[in-house]
Amino acid sequence: MARPEAGPGGRIPHHVAIIMDGNGRWAQGRGMMRVAGHREGARAVRRVVEAAARMGVGILTLFAFSSENWNRPGSEVGALMRLFAVALRRERQGLLDNGIRLRLIGRRERFSDSLQRAIAQAEELTAGGTRMTLNIAANYGGRLDLLEAVRRLERRRAAGGLDPESLTESDLAAELYEPTDVDLLIRTGGERRISNFLLWQCAYSELYFTDTLWPDFGEPDLSAAVDWYASRERRFGRTSAQVHEGGD
Ligand code: IPE
Ligand code: IPE
Ligand code: MG
């Protein structure tokens, strides 16, 4: 069911970002280990990726592991890393077949060599996908994203290739892992916070919070979020009357 008009003014958000929260509580509520929730969460990822591509979303950015998640018990971090490598190897062919380009956003240097290889292989295999871009945010932090962008700009300035006075917002955005503004930010699992996700890119996003735990999230939930998005009036600082006139 492809819907028309993806983009800031359209009914289908061009860039959807999701904070996939609630795996641990999903498992604990069933008397299971937290890792069982992460495994079930990986199944939800597959459903939602497929649903988003069908709806005509252009970019889907999923928060899989934050730069703060290293603070979890070593056993949980280890299990998450293993699950991530397995999922990459299992899903990459399906992504390729569906025209979906996978990219990892975040600092990959901290991952094991074999996980880094699995990431690079999945990225290379799917690089030609044009139907949808799937960004997996892993070891990602919004502040770190900005800090690294500033470092790169500073290096260019020091090399004489940049005049600070002529620097634009687009120049800074271009240095981020993902420069595109988020149209719709979804957080599952009941919390109402951003947890250091795409700080710059969410400056004007519509924010959708749901109590549904991530492993229970599927196509009907994504559709509900997208329908809610379509009902929002995005004013970008203008008045409602201006928006309806379509002028300035
Ligand atoms: C989100 O689920 C997945 C990751 C952060 C890796 P959680 O593991 O945070 O689940 P809760 O919030 O403890 O239920
Ligand atoms: C945010 O979830 C990060 C991911 C979904 C990967 P957390 O569960 O880690 O967030 P906080 O720490 O409760 O805000
Ligand atoms: Mg959580």
Side-chain angles (χ1 to χ4, degrees):
M1 182 188 49
R3 298 188 222 187
E5 275 192 88
R11 291 177 56 81
I12 297 294
H14 174 62
H15 185 181
V16 176
I18 308 183
I19 302 176
M20 308 184 291
D21 198 15
N23 293 352
R25 278 165 285 160
W26 183 91
Q28 284 166 328
R30 288 169 172 71
M32 295 154 88
M33 306 279 284
R34 291 176 58 84
V35 63
H38 296 314
R39 217 174 286 126
E40 200 58 34
R43 295 199 183 97
V45 168
R46 170 187 265 205
R47 289 197 297 272
V48 168
V49 167
E50 287 172 359
R54 273 198 299 275
M55 285 177 189
V57 168
I59 305 172
L60 177 66
T61 302
L62 300 179
F63 206 4
F65 191 86
S66 74
S67 46
E68 291 74 29
N69 286 145
W70 296 107
N71 295 325
R72 294 192 177 195
S75 56
E76 180 167 345
V77 171
L80 279 166
M81 295 298 144
R82 282 190 295 279
L83 257 179
F84 189 21
V86 168
L88 281 169
R89 294 207 166 91
R90 191 182 55 214
E91 304 295 338
R92 63 191 180 194
Q93 188 62 43
L95 295 174
L96 175 68
D97 296 343
N98 281 299
I100 298 169
R101 176 172 72 130
L102 178 135
R103 288 172 62 225
L104 183 115
I105 66 169
R107 284 197 79 136
R108 61 184 74 192
E109 296 82 8
R110 192 160 167 190
F111 297 138
S112 71
D113 289 346
S114 83
L115 179 51
Q116 289 191 44
R117 266 198 306 279
I119 292 165
Q121 284 165 355
E123 285 179 334
E124 278 160 31
L125 185 71
T126 62
T130 54
R131 187 163 163 231
M132 184 176 86
T133 294
L134 170 63
N135 292 318
I136 301 292
N139 194 17
Y140 177 87
R143 287 185 174 177
L144 191 60
D145 195 359
L146 280 161
L147 180 62
E148 289 184 339
V150 170
R151 283 195 184 123
R152 276 191 288 275
L153 291 171
E154 172 54 18
R155 272 187 230 115
R156 273 169 52 195
R157 188 205 58 76
L162 188 74
D163 168 17
E165 300 313 318
S166 60
L167 193 66
T168 65
E169 291 188 5
S170 318
D171 293 330
L172 199 152
E175 297 292 337
L176 301 171
Y177 285 112
E178 172 54 71
T180 312
D181 284 347
V182 171
D183 298 304
L184 171 63
L185 175 72
I186 298 171
R187 181 169 189 145
T188 63
E191 309 295 353
R192 282 152 173 77
R193 54 180 177 251
I194 298 208
S195 298
N196 198 19
F197 198 26
L198 302 156
L199 297 178
W200 172 281
Q201 298 88 336
C202 285
Y204 250 112
S205 310
E206 300 297 329
L207 308 178
Y208 184 87
F209 299 103
T210 169
D211 290 338
T212 301
L213 303 172
W214 176 250
D216 291 326
F217 198 86
E219 175 150 27
D221 305 279
L222 183 65
S223 273
V226 166
D227 287 347
W228 173 84
Y229 170 85
S231 75
R232 307 314 303 157
E233 181 177 82
R234 303 191 76 191
R235 292 193 284 275
F236 297 101
R238 293 178 297 166
T239 65
S240 189
Q242 287 174 303
V243 173
H244 290 292
E245 282 157 15
D248 48 18

mmCIF file of all heavy atoms in Angstrom, residues 129-149:
data_model
loop_
_atom_site.group_PDB
_atom_site.id
_atom_site.type_symbol
_atom_site.label_atom_id
_atom_site.label_comp_id
_atom_site.label_asym_id
_atom_site.label_seq_id
_atom_site.Cartn_x
_atom_site.Cartn_y
_atom_site.Cartn_z
ATOM 1 N N GLY A 129 20.934 -0.247 -2.929
ATOM 2 C CA GLY A 129 19.488 -0.187 -2.654
ATOM 3 C C GLY A 129 18.963 1.239 -2.725
ATOM 4 O O GLY A 129 19.517 2.134 -2.103
ATOM 5 N N THR A 130 17.873 1.447 -3.475
ATOM 6 C CA THR A 130 17.353 2.809 -3.643
ATOM 7 C C THR A 130 15.927 2.949 -3.118
ATOM 8 O O THR A 130 15.378 4.045 -3.109
ATOM 9 C CB THR A 130 17.358 3.212 -5.137
ATOM 10 O OG1 THR A 130 16.643 2.209 -5.865
ATOM 11 C CG2 THR A 130 18.774 3.323 -5.667
ATOM 12 N N ARG A 131 15.323 1.851 -2.697
ATOM 13 C CA ARG A 131 13.929 1.942 -2.255
ATOM 14 C C ARG A 131 13.826 2.621 -0.899
ATOM 15 O O ARG A 131 12.959 3.471 -0.673
ATOM 16 C CB ARG A 131 13.364 0.526 -2.187
ATOM 17 C CG ARG A 131 11.893 0.462 -1.914
ATOM 18 C CD ARG A 131 11.366 -0.910 -2.271
ATOM 19 N NE ARG A 131 10.080 -1.165 -1.685
ATOM 20 C CZ ARG A 131 9.798 -2.264 -0.973
ATOM 21 N NH1 ARG A 131 10.741 -3.172 -0.749
ATOM 22 N NH2 ARG A 131 8.601 -2.446 -0.492
ATOM 23 N N MET A 132 14.710 2.253 0.020
ATOM 24 C CA MET A 132 14.702 2.867 1.358
ATOM 25 C C MET A 132 16.106 2.735 1.954
ATOM 26 O O MET A 132 16.805 1.764 1.676
ATOM 27 C CB MET A 132 13.700 2.147 2.263
ATOM 28 C CG MET A 132 13.548 2.785 3.647
ATOM 29 S SD MET A 132 12.262 1.983 4.652
ATOM 30 C CE MET A 132 13.196 0.640 5.375
ATOM 31 N N THR A 133 16.491 3.732 2.736
ATOM 32 C CA THR A 133 17.739 3.632 3.504
ATOM 33 C C THR A 133 17.398 3.247 4.933
ATOM 34 O O THR A 133 16.530 3.867 5.561
ATOM 35 C CB THR A 133 18.490 4.973 3.507
ATOM 36 O OG1 THR A 133 18.922 5.253 2.172
ATOM 37 C CG2 THR A 133 19.714 4.931 4.412
ATOM 38 N N LEU A 134 18.066 2.211 5.413
ATOM 39 C CA LEU A 134 17.882 1.774 6.797
ATOM 40 C C LEU A 134 19.153 2.119 7.561
ATOM 41 O O LEU A 134 20.210 1.539 7.316
ATOM 42 C CB LEU A 134 17.638 0.256 6.833
ATOM 43 C CG LEU A 134 17.657 -0.399 8.216
ATOM 44 C CD1 LEU A 134 16.538 0.148 9.102
ATOM 45 C CD2 LEU A 134 17.516 -1.921 8.076
ATOM 46 N N ASN A 135 19.054 3.099 8.466
ATOM 47 C CA ASN A 135 20.192 3.426 9.320
ATOM 48 C C ASN A 135 20.039 2.682 10.634
ATOM 49 O O ASN A 135 19.023 2.814 11.319
ATOM 50 C CB ASN A 135 20.211 4.922 9.669
ATOM 51 C CG ASN A 135 20.500 5.809 8.471
ATOM 52 O OD1 ASN A 135 21.376 5.502 7.657
ATOM 53 N ND2 ASN A 135 19.776 6.911 8.359
ATOM 54 N N ILE A 136 21.034 1.912 10.998
ATOM 55 C CA ILE A 136 21.041 1.289 12.319
ATOM 56 C C ILE A 136 21.994 2.113 13.182
ATOM 57 O O ILE A 136 23.191 2.211 12.894
ATOM 58 C CB ILE A 136 21.531 -0.168 12.245
ATOM 59 C CG1 ILE A 136 20.633 -1.009 11.321
ATOM 60 C CG2 ILE A 136 21.596 -0.779 13.646
ATOM 61 C CD1 ILE A 136 19.221 -1.237 11.841
ATOM 62 N N ALA A 137 21.436 2.740 14.218
ATOM 63 C CA ALA A 137 22.254 3.559 15.112
ATOM 64 C C ALA A 137 22.786 2.659 16.223
ATOM 65 O O ALA A 137 22.025 2.149 17.046
ATOM 66 C CB ALA A 137 21.422 4.700 15.694
ATOM 67 N N ALA A 138 24.087 2.424 16.208
ATOM 68 C CA ALA A 138 24.699 1.532 17.196
ATOM 69 C C ALA A 138 25.986 2.168 17.683
ATOM 70 O O ALA A 138 26.794 2.641 16.873
ATOM 71 C CB ALA A 138 24.969 0.163 16.577
ATOM 72 N N ASN A 139 26.177 2.160 18.982
ATOM 73 C CA ASN A 139 27.186 2.994 19.628
ATOM 74 C C ASN A 139 27.032 4.416 19.112
ATOM 75 O O ASN A 139 27.994 5.066 18.716
ATOM 76 C CB ASN A 139 28.609 2.479 19.422
ATOM 77 C CG ASN A 139 29.589 3.165 20.372
ATOM 78 O OD1 ASN A 139 29.177 3.767 21.374
ATOM 79 N ND2 ASN A 139 30.861 3.111 20.048
ATOM 80 N N TYR A 140 25.774 4.857 19.089
ATOM 81 C CA TYR A 140 25.445 6.198 18.617
ATOM 82 C C TYR A 140 25.050 7.078 19.803
ATOM 83 O O TYR A 140 24.354 6.628 20.715
ATOM 84 C CB TYR A 140 24.263 6.145 17.625
ATOM 85 C CG TYR A 140 23.855 7.529 17.189
ATOM 86 C CD1 TYR A 140 24.475 8.140 16.117
ATOM 87 C CD2 TYR A 140 22.904 8.252 17.915
ATOM 88 C CE1 TYR A 140 24.152 9.439 15.751
ATOM 89 C CE2 TYR A 140 22.570 9.549 17.559
ATOM 90 C CZ TYR A 140 23.201 10.132 16.477
ATOM 91 O OH TYR A 140 22.890 11.424 16.133
ATOM 92 N N GLY A 141 25.506 8.327 19.755
ATOM 93 C CA GLY A 141 25.063 9.338 20.703
ATOM 94 C C GLY A 141 24.930 10.651 19.935
ATOM 95 O O GLY A 141 25.793 10.981 19.114
ATOM 96 N N GLY A 142 23.838 11.371 20.184
ATOM 97 C CA GLY A 142 23.607 12.606 19.444
ATOM 98 C C GLY A 142 24.669 13.661 19.705
ATOM 99 O O GLY A 142 25.104 14.375 18.796
ATOM 100 N N ARG A 143 25.114 13.749 20.959
ATOM 101 C CA ARG A 143 26.136 14.744 21.269
ATOM 102 C C ARG A 143 27.460 14.380 20.612
ATOM 103 O O ARG A 143 28.173 15.256 20.100
ATOM 104 C CB ARG A 143 26.319 14.862 22.774
ATOM 105 C CG ARG A 143 25.161 15.567 23.425
ATOM 106 C CD ARG A 143 25.425 15.773 24.897
ATOM 107 N NE ARG A 143 24.376 16.575 25.493
ATOM 108 C CZ ARG A 143 24.319 16.874 26.780
ATOM 109 N NH1 ARG A 143 25.231 16.415 27.617
ATOM 110 N NH2 ARG A 143 23.347 17.627 27.234
ATOM 111 N N LEU A 144 27.769 13.089 20.612
ATOM 112 C CA LEU A 144 29.015 12.639 19.984
ATOM 113 C C LEU A 144 28.958 12.894 18.476
ATOM 114 O O LEU A 144 29.966 13.295 17.866
ATOM 115 C CB LEU A 144 29.214 11.143 20.276
ATOM 116 C CG LEU A 144 30.573 10.566 19.930
ATOM 117 C CD1 LEU A 144 31.669 11.288 20.709
ATOM 118 C CD2 LEU A 144 30.605 9.069 20.260
ATOM 119 N N ASP A 145 27.796 12.672 17.879
ATOM 120 C CA ASP A 145 27.596 12.939 16.451
ATOM 121 C C ASP A 145 27.966 14.401 16.167
ATOM 122 O O ASP A 145 28.730 14.714 15.236
ATOM 123 C CB ASP A 145 26.116 12.667 16.130
ATOM 124 C CG ASP A 145 25.810 12.548 14.639
ATOM 125 O OD1 ASP A 145 26.732 12.691 13.813
ATOM 126 O OD2 ASP A 145 24.628 12.303 14.301
ATOM 127 N N LEU A 146 27.446 15.306 16.991
ATOM 128 C CA LEU A 146 27.728 16.735 16.808
ATOM 129 C C LEU A 146 29.197 17.050 17.068
ATOM 130 O O LEU A 146 29.825 17.813 16.324
ATOM 131 C CB LEU A 146 26.841 17.565 17.746
ATOM 132 C CG LEU A 146 25.416 17.752 17.232
ATOM 133 C CD1 LEU A 146 24.477 18.158 18.357
ATOM 134 C CD2 LEU A 146 25.381 18.790 16.124
ATOM 135 N N LEU A 147 29.745 16.445 18.120
ATOM 136 C CA LEU A 147 31.144 16.719 18.463
ATOM 137 C C LEU A 147 32.075 16.276 17.328
ATOM 138 O O LEU A 147 32.998 17.004 16.942
ATOM 139 C CB LEU A 147 31.495 15.967 19.761
ATOM 140 C CG LEU A 147 32.925 16.143 20.267
ATOM 141 C CD1 LEU A 147 33.202 17.599 20.604
ATOM 142 C CD2 LEU A 147 33.167 15.270 21.503
ATOM 143 N N GLU A 148 31.794 15.121 16.770
ATOM 144 C CA GLU A 148 32.645 14.643 15.679
ATOM 145 C C GLU A 148 32.511 15.524 14.447
ATOM 146 O O GLU A 148 33.483 15.764 13.731
ATOM 147 C CB GLU A 148 32.302 13.189 15.343
ATOM 148 C CG GLU A 148 32.763 12.251 16.434
ATOM 149 C CD GLU A 148 32.519 10.797 16.092
ATOM 150 O OE1 GLU A 148 31.668 10.510 15.230
ATOM 151 O OE2 GLU A 148 33.190 9.954 16.696
ATOM 152 N N ALA A 149 31.300 16.022 14.212
ATOM 153 C CA ALA A 149 31.091 16.937 13.081
ATOM 154 C C ALA A 149 31.920 18.208 13.283
ATOM 155 O O ALA A 149 32.584 18.694 12.360
ATOM 156 C CB ALA A 149 29.606 17.278 12.955
#
